[in-house]
Amino acid sequence: MADSTLLTLVLYLPVAGMFAIAALPRGRDDLVRGLTFWTMVLQLALTAVLYAHFDPAAPGLQAKTSVPWIAAWGVSYTIGLDGYNILLVALTAFLGPLVTAGAFSAIQKDVKLFYAMVFLIQFAMLGTFLAQDLFLFYLFWEAMLIPMFLIIGIWGGERRIYATVKFFLYTAFGSILMLAAVIYLVWALWQSTGTVSFAFADLVKARLPLQAQQWLLAAFALSFAIKVPMVPLHTWLPDAHVEAPTAGSVILAGVLLKMGTYGFMKLGFPLFPDATLLAVPLISALAVVSIVYGACLALVQTDIKKIIAYSSISHLGYVMLGLASLDLLGIQGAVIQMVSHGLTAAGLFLMVGMIYERCHTRELAKYGGLAKVLPVYSVFFMILTLASVGLPTTSGFTGEFLVLLGAFNAAWREANGFALAMAGIAVSGVVLGALYMLWFAQRFLYGAEKVPHGPVADLGGRERAILAAITVAVFGMGLFPDSFLRMTEPAARDYQRLVSTPRLPLAKVAAPAPKGEVAK
Amino acid sequence: MNAQAVILAMLPEHILLAGIVALMVMEVVSDKPRGELALSVLVVAAAATAAAILGFSGQNLAPFAGQFSVTPSGSLAKAAVLALAVPVILFSREDFGTGAFYPLLLSSLYGVCLLVSGDSFLTLFLGMELMSIPVYVLVLLAFRRPESAEAALKYLVLSGTASASFLMGASLLYGSTGTLGLTGFAGALASDALLARTAVVMVVVAFFLKAAIVPFHTWAPDAYEAASVPVTAYMAVLVKAGVLIMAVRLFGTAPVSVALAGLLFILPFVSIVWGNIAAIRQTSFRRMIAYSSIAHAGYLFIAFLGDGPGRFQAVVFYLLAYGAMNILAFAALPPDRDDLARDKLENLKGLFHRDPLAALLIGMAMLSLAGIPPFPGFVGKFLIFKNVIAAGYTTWAVLGLVGSYLGIYFYLRVIQYLFMTPGEAAVPAAGPSRSLAMGAGLLCLAASVLLAVFPGWFLGWL
C-alpha cells in the first residue's frame, strides 16, 4: 500500500471507529471498549509502518495527499508527514491505545459517547499535526475543542462545568483572533505576490511590513500561548486538569498542549520571522517565567493532580526556550522535550488516576508510605518521576539538556547578556523541578503508611502493561536519542533557516495600494 | 413581454400559486381535508426544483422588464430559500395538523420569491407585504396564550413602520432619481445629494426593522416566543432570508461609501454584541434563538461592507448555513405537555439520555450557530469576514469577530444542558410520531454536511 493511502487510513480510522461504536447495540459496553482499543492498536501499527518508511533525508512532505478543495479561495486539502510532525504523530498514535485502556475501569457512564469523543479528539489532533494548509489546520485546531469540552464536562469532577467552560472560552478567544490573522495573512499574500493560497508552503513566501508581522504574530501567539500554556495565560490549565477525568488529563497533557508549541514552531515563528527575531527576548523571558513560576506553584500544591498540572507549565517552558534560542541543539531539544513531556505527563496522570480509583482522594497529605503497600505502583511512579525531572538515560534528560545547551550556545555566540541570564535562570528551574517532584515522591511513597480507603490492591495486569509501554518509550528516548534526533534534524534546520531569514517587503515594486484603505 | 418567458421565468412562482389555490379549494370542499402537508411539501419542493433547474441551466430572463427578472444566481438563491421551507413544513404537523397554515405559508413564500427576483421598488414592496402579512396571521394562528395576540400586534405595528419607511424611501428615491428601479437605488448609493441620501437611509432603516437590528429589534423576542415552533423557525430563517436577499440585491456589487459603511457597521455591530449578551439571560428557547438571530442579522449586514460578487455569495451562503442549522434545532426540539413547557430551556436538561439523536442534532446546531468549525456556520462567517477584510475594513472585521466570540457562551450552555446536566426523568407524554420532524432534521443535517464539505461547489454557482 502506498504511504499516502496509509496515512489517510491512519487519519480516518478514528472516524470509522466512531461510527462503528455508534452502531453497536445499547448496553454492550465491553464491546465498545474492545472495539475502541483494537482500532487504536491498529492505528498505532499503521503509524509504526509509516514511521519506519519515513526518510528524514528526503526533502518536502512524505506520504502526501493533496487535492484542491475550495479552489476559489485557494484552499487545498493537503496532509503529509515531515520532520516537524512525525514524532508528534507517533506520540499521538502511541498514546491512543493507552488512553483507551486506561479508562476501561474509570468510565462507567455513557461509555459509548465517551469513546466516540476519544476517537473524535484523536482524529482532530492527528489532523492538526498533519494539515499542511492553514484553513484545514484551523478546522482541525478548533474541532479539538468540542470533544474535549464534552470529555471534561460530562465525565469530570465536581466543578467540571466551570472548568470546561473556562477551557473552551479561553482557547476560543485565542482562536477567534487567530482567525482574523489567518484571513489577513492570506489577503496580504495575495496583495504581495498575487497568489491566493492557504498552503503553508506558499504562506512563508508572503512579504509583510514589520508592523503587520507584529500584529499577526501577536494574534497567532496569543492563540498558541494559551494552548501551551505560557504564563500568564495558564490559569485554565489547572482547573481543566483537576476536573477532567484521567483520560482527559492524559490527552490534554500528552498531546493537546503540544499543539501550542507545534503551532509556534510550524507556523507562528516561521511565518513572521522579522517580528519573531524582535520578540525573542520577550518569548524567552516568558518561557523562563513559565519554567520557574510553574515549578514554584507545583512546589506548594496539596492536590497531586495539580502538582503534575503545574509541572506541565514548567516543562513546556523549556520547549519555548529551545524554540526561541534558534540554536540547532535547542530546537532539537525542544522537539524531544515535547515528546518526552507527552510520555511522562501522560504516565503520571494515568498513575494519579489509578490511585484515585483506589483511594478516592487526590489530597497529598492523606497519602504516605505507598512504597510498602503498593510496590509495583511505586516503582513505576519513581521511574516516571525521575524521567520527569530529567535523570540521565531517560527522555526528560535528553530534552532539557539539549534545550539548555542550545540556550547557552546561542547566548554565548552572540555574547548576549540577557539571553545568558535567561539560560542561567532556566537551569535553576531544573533544580526546582527535581525539588518539587522528589519531595512529592518522598511524601507520597515513603514515610508513615497512610492509605485512604485501604487496604488496596496493587496494579493489575492491564495497568502494568500500560505503564510498562510508557516506561519502555521513556528509556528508549533517553538511551537512543540519536534515532529520534535524526528524524527531526532537517525540520529543525528548516525552522532555523526560515526564522533567521528576513522577509520584509522588497524595495517598493509598486505594490498595489490596499483597496478600501481610504475607508479608514 | 412574451408568454413563453412569463411561463418559464416565473415557473417556481406559478407552482406555488397553483399549490395555494389547490389548498384553498381543498379547505372549502372538504370539512376535514387530508394530505395538505404532503401537498405543500410537494409543491414547495417542486418550486425549488424548478428554480434550481432555471439556475443551473443559466437562464437570464426578464418577463416583465424592469419589474421582474431571473438570473442564474438569483434562481439558485430562490431554490435554496424554498428548499429551506421544506423541513419547516415537514415538522409543522405537531402544531398544525390541518387548516389555514399551509396556504398562508405558501403565500408568504411567494412573497419571498418576489423579493429575490423583483427589479423595482414596486415589485419589492409587493413581495415584502406578501411575505409579511401571512406571518402576522401565522403568529396568531396557534393561539396559545394571551401574549400571542400582544406579540402579533407588536410585530404588525413595527413591521408596518418598516413598510412605511420603505415606501417613504422609495418615494424620495423617485423624487431624486426619477426611477423606482434597482439602478436608481445604485445611483442614490453613490450620490451625495441630501434627498438621495435620505432615501437610502430610510430604506436601510426598513431593512433593519424587518431584520431586527438593534435598536429596532424589540418585536423579535416577543414574536418569536409567542408563535408556535414552526412559525418561529419560519420567521427566523425565511423572512430574514427574504429581507437580506432583497437588501443585497439593492446594494449590488459596488463598494459602499464611507458614511454608509459607518451606518452598516455600527448598528449591526451593536446587534451582535447586544444579541449575544442578552441571549445569555434567556430561559426560553425561542427567546434565546430570537436574540441569537438578532446577532446573526448583525453578521449578515456586516457582509455588506465587502464588495464585488463576494457580497451576494457571502449573504446567501450564510443564510443557507444559518437557516439549515436553525431549522435543525427547531425540528429536533423535544415535544412536551404544553407549549410553555416545551419552550423552556430547562426542558433540554439531560436530553441526551432521553433522546440521544435529538440531543446530538441540537448540539450540532448550536455549535454551528456559534460558528465553531467544522460546521457550516463557520464557513459562512469565514466568508463574510474574508470579504470584509479584503475590502480593507480590518479593524471592523476584528471587532465583529470578537463580538461573535461573546455568543459562544450561551450556545455552550445549551450543550451543557443537553449532555452534562441530569434532567428530571419525566417521560414526555406519547404524542404524535416524531418521525417527520426527525426526518426534517436529518434533511437539514445532510444539507449542512454538504455545505461544510463542498462550499466551493455551491459558491461557484452563485
Side-chain angles (χ1 to χ4, degrees), chain B residues 294-325:
Chain B
I294 289 169
H296 283 285
Y299 307 126
L300 282 161
F301 275 107
I302 285 185
F304 283 66
L305 296 178
D307 48 43
R311 184 189 286 164
F312 183 76
Q313 288 182 352
V315 168
V316 173
F317 188 92
Y318 196 92
L319 282 169
L320 202 54
Y322 154 83
M325 278 306 190

Side-chain angles (χ1 to χ4, degrees), chain A residues 138-389:
Chain A
Y138 190 83
L139 287 188
F140 279 123
W141 171 270
E142 284 283 281
M144 277 187 307
L145 286 181
I146 303 159
M148 201 59 193
F149 175 71
L150 291 175
I151 287 176
I152 301 177
I154 301 181
W155 296 275
E158 257 169 45
R159 293 168 67 237
R160 59 183 192 277
I161 307 270
Y162 167 78
T164 198
V165 170
K166 188 170 177 181
F167 160 74
F168 200 108
L169 291 183
Y170 251 79
T171 27
F173 185 70
S175 311
I176 209 94
L177 292 180
M178 184 164 94
L179 177 61
V182 166
I183 299 175
Y184 187 87
L185 174 65
V186 170
W187 175 75
L189 174 76
W190 173 65
Q191 289 282 312
S192 62
T193 65
T195 331
V196 181
S197 173
F198 280 81
F200 292 167
D202 289 324
L203 287 173
V204 291
K205 293 179 198 145
R207 292 185 168 276
L208 301 172
L210 187 60
Q211 206 191 1
Q213 282 197 24
Q214 283 173 323
W215 278 108
L216 294 176
L217 177 64
F220 273 80
L222 183 69
S223 181
F224 295 147
I226 288 174
K227 204 75 142 203
V228 172
M230 288 176 87
V231 174
L233 302 168
H234 65 285
T235 58
W236 62 270
L237 182 83
D239 286 313
H241 264 316
V242 167
E243 297 306 325
T246 302
S249 299
V250 174
I251 295 172
L252 255 181
V255 187
L256 221 77
L257 304 187
K258 274 89 213 169
M259 296 291 169
T261 44
Y262 171 76
F264 273 119
M265 184 177 176
K266 177 89 188 182
L267 290 170
F269 296 154
L271 282 179
F272 316 110
D274 306 281
T276 303
L277 285 183
L278 283 181
V280 157
L282 178 68
I283 297 162
S284 31
L286 283 177
V288 169
V289 170
S290 295
I291 294 175
V292 175
Y293 188 68
C296 290
L297 283 173
L299 200 56
V300 298
Q301 298 305 316
T302 55
D303 180 319
I304 49 180
K305 225 172 171 183
K306 270 199 177 161
I307 298 180
I308 309 188
Y310 280 110
S311 81
S312 293
I313 299 175
S314 181
H315 283 136
L316 285 165
Y318 288 106
V319 179
M320 291 311 297
L321 186 68
L323 289 180
S325 73
L326 297 182
D327 179 89
L328 190 62
L329 287 176
I331 301 164
Q332 289 267 62
V335 179
I336 298 293
Q337 173 75 358
M338 280 192 228
V339 182
S340 160
H341 175 260
L343 294 170
T344 54
L348 285 168
F349 274 120
L350 280 165
M351 298 209 72
V352 169
M354 289 169 189
I355 198 77
Y356 184 75
E357 271 178 59
R358 288 170 168 76
C359 302
H360 311 289
T361 176
R362 288 190 309 259
E363 206 162 319
L364 183 53
K366 298 234 170 99
Y367 290 97
L370 291 186
K372 277 181 227 144
V373 197
L374 304 171
V376 183
Y377 181 89
S378 306
V379 169
F380 278 121
F381 193 87
M382 217 46 224
I383 293 173
L384 288 176
T385 302
L386 292 174
S388 172
V389 303

Side-chain angles (χ1 to χ4, degrees), chain B residues 12-308:
Chain B
E13 286 83 359
H14 294 324
I15 295 175
L16 283 177
L17 188 61
I20 297 168
V21 172
L23 284 166
M24 279 164 43
V25 170
M26 277 168 83
E27 186 86 351
V28 173
V29 171
S30 161
D31 279 345
K32 270 198 168 297
R34 289 194 317 195
E36 286 176 312
L37 185 138
L39 180 65
S40 317
V41 168
L42 213 64
V43 165
V44 176
T49 316
I53 291 171
L54 278 177
F56 286 130
S57 58
Q59 298 285 349
N60 270 305
L61 296 166
F64 304 99
Q67 299 291 341
F68 187 97
S69 68
V70 294
T71 57
S73 57
S75 292
L76 284 172
K78 196 187 284 176
V81 173
L82 288 170
L84 281 175
V86 172
V88 174
I89 302 174
L90 273 179
F91 75 81
S92 68
R93 189 173 66 179
E94 283 158 31
D95 295 86
F96 305 98
T98 170
F101 174 76
Y102 302 103
L104 282 171
L105 193 84
L106 264 56
S107 314
S108 179
L109 275 178
Y110 196 107
V112 175
C113 289
L114 282 185
L115 288 180
V116 176
S117 295
D119 273 344
S120 86
F121 273 76
L122 281 178
T123 344
L124 291 178
F125 183 71
L126 205 64
M128 206 161 87
E129 292 302 290
L130 192 52
M131 174 183 79
S132 309
I133 293 173
V135 178
Y136 308 142
V137 185
L138 284 173
V139 170
L140 266 181
L141 197 58
F143 184 80
R144 289 173 171 173
R145 1 176 174 158
E147 301 90 61
S148 295
E150 189 192 324
L153 187 67
K154 198 167 178 182
Y155 182 33
L156 173 73
V157 170
L158 282 168
S159 208
T161 317
S163 303
S165 176
F166 186 79
L167 276 183
M168 185 67 122
S171 44
L172 289 176
L173 186 74
Y174 191 72
S176 69
T177 62
T179 166
L180 282 174
L182 287 184
T183 45
F185 190 75
L189 279 176
S191 158
D192 277 336
L194 181 66
L195 206 58
R197 278 190 163 192
T198 320
V200 170
V201 169
M202 300 295 286
V203 171
V204 169
V205 165
F207 293 151
F208 282 1
L209 259 163
K210 286 270 182 191
I213 289 286
V214 173
F216 309 112
H217 67 288
T218 50
W219 61 270
D222 292 340
Y224 281 36
E225 192 187 14
S228 55
V229 174
V231 176
T232 309
Y234 184 81
M235 282 195 288
V237 175
L238 285 130
V239 173
K240 195 150 279 182
V243 174
L244 260 300
I245 292 179
M246 162 170 70
V248 79
R249 289 188 62 242
L250 278 174
F251 275 81
T253 54
V256 290
S257 68
V258 181
L260 195 60
L263 180 68
L264 283 175
F265 175 75
I266 290 167
L267 288 182
F269 176 65
V270 174
S271 287
I272 294 174
V273 172
W274 178 243
N276 282 335
I277 288 176
I280 295 173
R281 302 187 46 223
Q282 304 308 317
T283 54
S284 142
F285 183 77
R286 294 203 287 263
R287 272 191 102 81
M288 189 195 84
I289 290 293
Y291 281 107
S292 137
S293 89
I294 289 169
H296 283 285
Y299 307 126
L300 282 161
F301 275 107
I302 285 185
F304 283 66
L305 296 178
D307 48 43

Side-chain angles (χ1 to χ4, degrees), chain A residues 39-202:
Chain A
T39 311
M40 292 288 193
V41 170
L42 177 63
Q43 188 187 37
L44 175 60
L46 295 180
T47 312
V49 174
L50 281 171
Y51 189 86
H53 287 186
F54 184 80
D55 174 13
L61 287 175
Q62 300 181 34
K64 172 178 163 182
T65 307
S66 182
V67 283
W69 183 16
I70 312 173
W73 307 352
V75 174
S76 68
Y77 168 86
T78 309
I79 58 168
L81 287 171
D82 58 12
Y84 288 94
N85 62 19
I86 180 80
L87 286 187
L88 293 165
V89 169
L91 172 73
T92 313
F94 177 74
L95 288 178
L98 305 183
V99 168
T100 312
F104 278 175
S105 55
I107 302 296
Q108 300 292 347
K109 188 180 83 168
D110 296 336
V111 175
K112 217 192 237 189
L113 185 65
F114 178 79
Y115 287 108
M117 288 303 119
V118 171
F119 271 134
L120 203 57
I121 200 162
Q122 185 83 356
F123 170 62
M125 292 188 305
L126 283 171
T128 313
F129 287 136
L130 292 174
Q132 305 292 334
D133 179 281
L134 195 51
F135 190 81
L136 195 63
F137 173 87
Y138 190 83
L139 287 188
F140 279 123
W141 171 270
E142 284 283 281
M144 277 187 307
L145 286 181
I146 303 159
M148 201 59 193
F149 175 71
L150 291 175
I151 287 176
I152 301 177
I154 301 181
W155 296 275
E158 257 169 45
R159 293 168 67 237
R160 59 183 192 277
I161 307 270
Y162 167 78
T164 198
V165 170
K166 188 170 177 181
F167 160 74
F168 200 108
L169 291 183
Y170 251 79
T171 27
F173 185 70
S175 311
I176 209 94
L177 292 180
M178 184 164 94
L179 177 61
V182 166
I183 299 175
Y184 187 87
L185 174 65
V186 170
W187 175 75
L189 174 76
W190 173 65
Q191 289 282 312
S192 62
T193 65
T195 331
V196 181
S197 173
F198 280 81
F200 292 167
D202 289 324

Side-chain angles (χ1 to χ4, degrees), chain A residues 26 69-70 73 110 135 138-139 142 146 149 153 160-161 168-169 173 176 180 183-184 187 198 515-516 519-520, chain B residues 352-353 356 367 373 378-379 382-383 386 389-394 401 404-405 408 412 416 419-420 453 455-456 459:
Chain A
R26 263 169 202 245
W69 183 16
I70 312 173
W73 307 352
D110 296 336
F135 190 81
Y138 190 83
L139 287 188
E142 284 283 281
I146 303 159
F149 175 71
R160 59 183 192 277
I161 307 270
F168 200 108
L169 291 183
F173 185 70
I176 209 94
I183 299 175
Y184 187 87
W187 175 75
F198 280 81
K515 272 194 302 173
K520 279 183 278 178
Chain B
F352 179 72
H353 294 108
L367 289 171
F378 163 74
V379 185
F382 179 85
L383 190 53
K386 184 170 95 74
I389 287 183
Y393 298 102
T394 311
L401 281 169
S404 83
Y405 169 78
I408 292 178
L412 283 187
Q416 176 201 321
F419 291 94
M420 302 171 192
V453 179
L459 289 170

